[in-house]
Amino acid sequence: MYTDLNLKTIEPAELVNTARTLKGEGYRMVQICATKIPDAYELTYSFDKDHELYNYRVIVPEGTEIESITDSYFAAFVYENEMKDLFGIKINHIALDFQGNFFITNEPTPWKGKKAEEE
Amino acid sequence: MAKQTIIPFGPQHPVLPEPVHLDLVLEDETVVQAIPSIGFVHRGLEKLVEKKEYTELMYVTERICGICAFGHNWGYCHAIELLMKVDVPERAEYLRTLWHELSRVHSHLLWLGLLADAFGFESLFNHCWRLRESVLDLFEKTTGGRVIFSVNKIGGVHRDISPEVLTEMATVVAGMRKEVNELINVFVNDTSVKNRLVGVGVVTKEEAEDLCAVGPTARGSGVVTDIRLTGNGVYDKIGFEPIIEEAGDCYARTLVRCRELIQSMDMVIEICETIPEGEIAVPVKGKPEGEFFARLEQPRGEAFYYVKGNGTKNLERMRVRTPTNINIPFLVKSLEGCSLADVPVIVICIDPCISCTER
Amino acid sequence: MSYVTKSPWVIHYDGSSCNGCDIEVLACLTPMYDAERFGIINTGNPKHADLFLVTGGVNEQNKNVVKQIYEQMPEPKVVVAIGICACSGGIFAECYNILGGVDQVIPVDVYVPGCAARPESIIDGIVQGLGVLAEKRAAMGSAPAAKTEE
């Protein structure tokens, strides 16, 4: 864990199936992290099995919609709502969808590509 | 079928020290569904990476939460150190583990107090918090702060602890251990306490795994998950074993924390006695570049840190995933089917730390 | 009955604090500092309270909660902002979701700085707040409408 990132890049379309397979093999979902990169979002899905960390990276171009993994991992609703509210990433079929009311912020989607707007 | 009623719980509620809001859907007195809403404490501190240098972020991460302040600080340091390939001296690792375990003692005592308060045992609450003050005195003596210490730095720690103070610390903790045992006796054996905890909010091992729960909350349901096993700090040198209980009710979660309390105190005493001599920090050069993850076992469970640097003094992204964040689904699940009067106890039993959760 | 001194009841709300100050507020009430010996009681009901202790800054979501609690309290009332975040926003002032100190939303009478504010200074702040409370009561005269509390 401490030398290797265990990072694998997958396509957005593979996401739901990957999550389903991992769930079947007994992995625990650790977290989902979104990072804003130029014209896209970089999502990192982290899973844990026997105290080893495995990371899956998905690059989501701006404006693209992705599917929720809440049918495999119900707990993902926390992160998916967070990404939706703070980053403005469009995620479909979240099991518990707060419709943008999970985090109410002064400015909507504060993490969303500010740089692009300024240019 | 009875009529459904929705009762709002929080954000300002006598049992909650922090604001969280739950919409409880009730049929008569039974909760059929709980819908959480958070965001009352959301500050957006992760975005401060754009305005503060990576060394200044030390002070920000500490203030993610005032209860596990040291742990958050350590977790962030750990991630940066892994990223920059800094070899932290052994004595610094011992000192960090020492402060972290003391934080666990204070956090668990605090929690036991809040639990006692939740089921209306005021004097027990006061006793827990009285004992907790001795830990805070130790913090003040060794770091200068009661809540926020600022002793970590990237590459080690700022302050050393002298051998005399270490000896004194071991004596104080050993004395506390006796009193804590008396307190635990009440939590474990008192009938009125058991009446409120046994069989309340049961979550099975399968359900806990399914909901990705972490920390004492998950360990109370028999899930073996403890990041202290992965080799950070000096846990492998002081013979650490995770504490697991099988029953999955509020009583089991209390037992886990009671036993961890004693275990942490033993670890503190052991560290005070076996800490090696040496440097407490190494100089760090350069700027962080690339990305790395770090995990740490906080009093409430696994915390996750992600840092991404671009070779400048400002990080590109810093992400903290705190234990309560992932225990919220567990909370929602354990509330289903309970009676309204048990809601405060069940909520307290995941040891919610809302300001961590919302950052 | 105006010669009877009052036992001040406080209500505490955590704005967007990091917990540090909240825990210190609670610590004030526990045996080590024992603010209850002055008759100070922490109540959960705004309508029972004389002093409003706020920790942490305010944001979009909790500003209405803070306002609501303040409005529910009977006159005379005193607001004590505890910790640097409640005073000015503190280290989080630059965050996108912080409006600033509590005084952005409700009038504050006493500011207690510190990160985290120490129990000694919190008790100091409450005692100063009591002075303000007495002044406010005197200023209100004996207007009976204000004496809604028992």
Side-chain angles (χ1 to χ4, degrees):
Chain A
M1 165 191 167
Y2 288 112
T3 47
D4 194 2
L5 278 176
N6 276 337
L7 189 67
K8 214 185 254 179
T9 305
I10 57 170
E11 290 298 314
E14 292 173 84
L15 190 58
V16 176
N17 275 332
T18 312
R20 204 169 288 151
T21 319
L22 289 170
K23 173 80 179 181
E25 290 169 13
Y27 285 79
R28 174 170 67 84
M29 188 199 64
V30 174
Q31 64 98 31
I32 307 172
C33 168
T35 309
K36 180 74 189 117
I37 53 172
D39 301 322
Y41 301 98
E42 183 184 84
L43 310 189
T44 315
Y45 289 68
S46 309
F47 298 88
D48 172 286
K49 193 179 189 184
D50 301 327
H51 295 105
E52 278 288 325
L53 196 65
Y54 302 89
N55 299 296
Y56 290 85
R57 170 136 312 156
V58 185
I59 307 288
V60 183
E62 194 118 30
T64 315
E65 299 184 0
I66 57 166
E67 285 297 310
S68 161
I69 60 163
T70 42
D71 66 329
S72 314
Y73 291 97
F74 174 68
F77 82 85
V78 182
Y79 311 115
E80 289 180 346
N81 279 299
E82 184 182 318
M83 291 194 292
K84 207 169 164 170
D85 291 5
L86 299 185
F87 288 83
I89 303 171
K90 291 189 182 66
I91 303 169
N92 298 325
H93 306 119
I94 306 177
L96 195 55
D97 197 336
F98 285 79
Q99 309 289 352
N101 291 317
F102 200 54
F103 285 108
I104 297 172
T105 46
N106 301 351
E107 39 176 314
T109 61
W111 288 82
K112 197 177 178 180
K114 225 180 214 168
K115 282 172 197 152
E117 282 166 26
E118 282 167 5
E119 278 158 14
Chain B
M1 199 193 83
K3 204 178 83 187
Q4 290 200 337
T5 330
I6 296 180
I7 292 198
F9 180 83
Q12 196 271 328
H13 187 278
V15 77
L16 294 170
E18 288 180 275
V20 61
H21 177 86
L22 292 167
D23 278 321
L24 303 169
V25 184
L26 297 181
E27 270 175 22
D28 291 335
E29 282 287 299
T30 312
V31 178
V32 286
Q33 204 193 356
I35 303 157
S37 59
I38 61 170
F40 295 96
V41 199
H42 182 61
R43 290 154 283 183
L45 61 85
E46 286 176 1
K47 213 165 168 62
L48 280 180
V49 292
E50 289 165 9
K51 294 179 179 143
K52 306 235 187 258
E53 293 176 17
Y54 79 100
T55 41
E56 288 173 331
L57 274 179
M58 297 290 296
Y59 306 105
V60 177
T61 50
E62 229 174 3
R63 285 158 177 84
I64 292 172
C65 166
I67 303 175
C68 11
F70 184 83
H72 282 303
N73 207 200
W74 186 12
Y76 171 71
C77 260
H78 195 44
I80 293 279
E81 282 157 4
L82 289 170
L83 178 61
M84 296 173 80
K85 300 198 169 51
V86 178
D87 241 347
V88 182
E90 201 182 13
R91 189 173 171 90
E93 287 285 7
Y94 266 87
L95 287 171
R96 284 176 176 182
T97 315
L98 175 73
W99 277 312
H100 192 53
E101 286 310 312
L102 268 179
S103 301
R104 194 183 311 278
V105 172
H106 114 76
S107 173
H108 280 3
L109 275 172
L110 183 150
W111 177 81
L112 283 171
L114 290 180
L115 177 71
D117 190 42
F119 54 64
F121 205 149
E122 277 295 320
S123 55
L124 195 55
F125 162 71
N126 279 315
H127 274 295
C128 291
W129 281 57
R130 177 179 60 84
L131 279 175
R132 185 179 154 265
E133 289 288 338
S134 333
V135 186
L136 297 190
D137 286 347
L138 288 179
F139 284 145
E140 202 171 349
K141 189 154 199 159
T142 51
T143 69
R146 280 164 57 87
V147 177
I148 309 264
F149 312 149
S150 300
V151 278
N152 262 325
K153 64 174 173 184
I154 293 159
V157 290
H158 280 297
R159 281 165 187 257
D160 204 347
I161 306 181
S162 70
E164 297 79 49
V165 176
L166 280 172
T167 321
E168 190 196 324
M169 218 168 181
T171 326
V172 172
V173 173
M176 256 181 80
R177 197 179 177 285
K178 241 178 85 191
E179 284 201 76
V180 168
N181 257 325
E182 280 175 40
L183 270 187
I184 289 178
N185 188 30
V186 181
F187 280 100
V188 174
N189 296 324
D190 191 277
T191 329
S192 64
V193 175
K194 273 179 152 176
N195 281 343
R196 293 301 306 270
L197 298 177
V198 177
V200 174
V202 181
V203 177
T204 63
K205 185 178 178 184
E206 289 69 36
E207 284 169 338
E209 276 173 351
D210 189 50
L211 295 167
C212 309
V214 295
T217 311
R219 292 198 284 278
S221 292
V223 183
V224 185
T225 163
D226 198 317
I227 304 306
R228 284 175 283 180
L229 288 171
T230 59
N232 49 14
V234 293
Y235 293 107
D236 46 344
K237 290 177 192 133
I238 52 175
F240 166 77
E241 283 291 329
I243 284 166
I244 315 286
E245 289 283 339
E246 304 288 338
D249 55 1
C250 288
Y251 185 63
R253 279 166 235 154
T254 312
L255 277 184
V256 169
R257 292 192 177 98
C258 287
R259 288 173 57 198
E260 280 190 1
L261 190 53
I262 295 295
Q263 186 193 36
S264 292
M265 293 174 118
D266 287 342
M267 283 198 266
V268 168
I269 296 174
E270 193 175 336
I271 292 173
C272 287
E273 284 162 357
T274 60
I275 185 167
E277 290 296 316
E279 289 293 307
I280 55 162
V282 288
V284 177
K285 287 194 191 76
K287 306 274 188 300
E289 189 160 17
E291 53 184 336
F292 223 95
F293 309 99
R295 290 190 293 169
L296 194 74
E297 186 76 14
Q298 299 271 18
R300 285 159 185 73
E302 170 201 55
F304 176 97
Y305 304 85
Y306 169 66
V307 289
K308 184 179 184 185
N310 51 8
T312 65
K313 57 189 189 335
N314 287 68
L315 291 176
E316 210 154 86
R317 178 85 164 101
M318 189 264 294
R319 152 111 178 136
V320 185
R321 198 299 321 270
T322 59
T324 309
N325 206 331
I326 193 125
N327 278 338
I328 284 180
F330 182 98
L331 172 65
V332 171
K333 176 80 202 167
S334 56
L335 282 172
E336 280 171 18
C338 77
S339 79
L340 181 61
D342 284 329
V343 171
V345 172
I346 295 176
V347 172
I348 288 292
C349 265
I350 71 156
D351 201 353
C353 179
I354 305 303
S355 73
C356 287
T357 310
E358 300 170 10
R359 305 171 305 281
Chain C
M1 292 276 275
S2 58
Y3 56 88
V4 181
T5 43
K6 189 168 169 54
S7 287
W9 286 22
V10 301
I11 183 166
H12 167 223
Y13 182 76
D14 168 5
S16 58
S17 125
C18 73
N19 263 347
C21 298
D22 304 311
I23 298 301
E24 294 294 59
V25 167
L26 273 181
C28 288
L29 301 166
T30 55
M32 182 78 161
Y33 297 95
D34 198 13
E36 284 191 8
R37 69 201 144 121
F38 305 121
I40 299 172
I41 287 182
N42 187 13
T43 162
N45 190 336
K47 297 197 174 181
H48 293 176
D50 306 297
L51 271 83
F52 185 17
L53 313 182
V54 199
T55 51
V58 285
N59 63 25
E60 201 59 38
Q61 196 156 350
N62 69 27
K63 72 174 189 197
N64 290 329
V65 183
V66 172
K67 264 189 201 155
Q68 211 174 7
I69 295 175
Y70 180 74
E71 278 157 15
Q72 284 179 357
M73 286 170 63
E75 295 282 350
K77 52 193 165 189
V78 167
V79 177
V80 184
I82 290 173
I84 194 69
C85 297
C87 296
S88 69
I91 195 168
F92 301 120
E94 286 177 295
C95 288
Y96 60 81
N97 207 31
I98 291 287
L99 295 174
V102 183
D103 50 9
Q104 302 289 318
V105 195
I106 52 171
V108 174
D109 300 289
V110 182
Y111 294 86
V112 180
C115 181
R118 295 182 60 88
E120 290 93 335
S121 47
I122 296 176
I123 294 177
D124 255 13
I126 295 177
V127 171
Q128 270 195 33
L130 291 182
V132 181
L133 191 70
E135 277 168 29
K136 284 193 178 177
R137 188 179 298 135
M140 283 169 70
S142 53
K147 302 276 182 193
T148 43
E149 70 259 276
E150 292 166 9

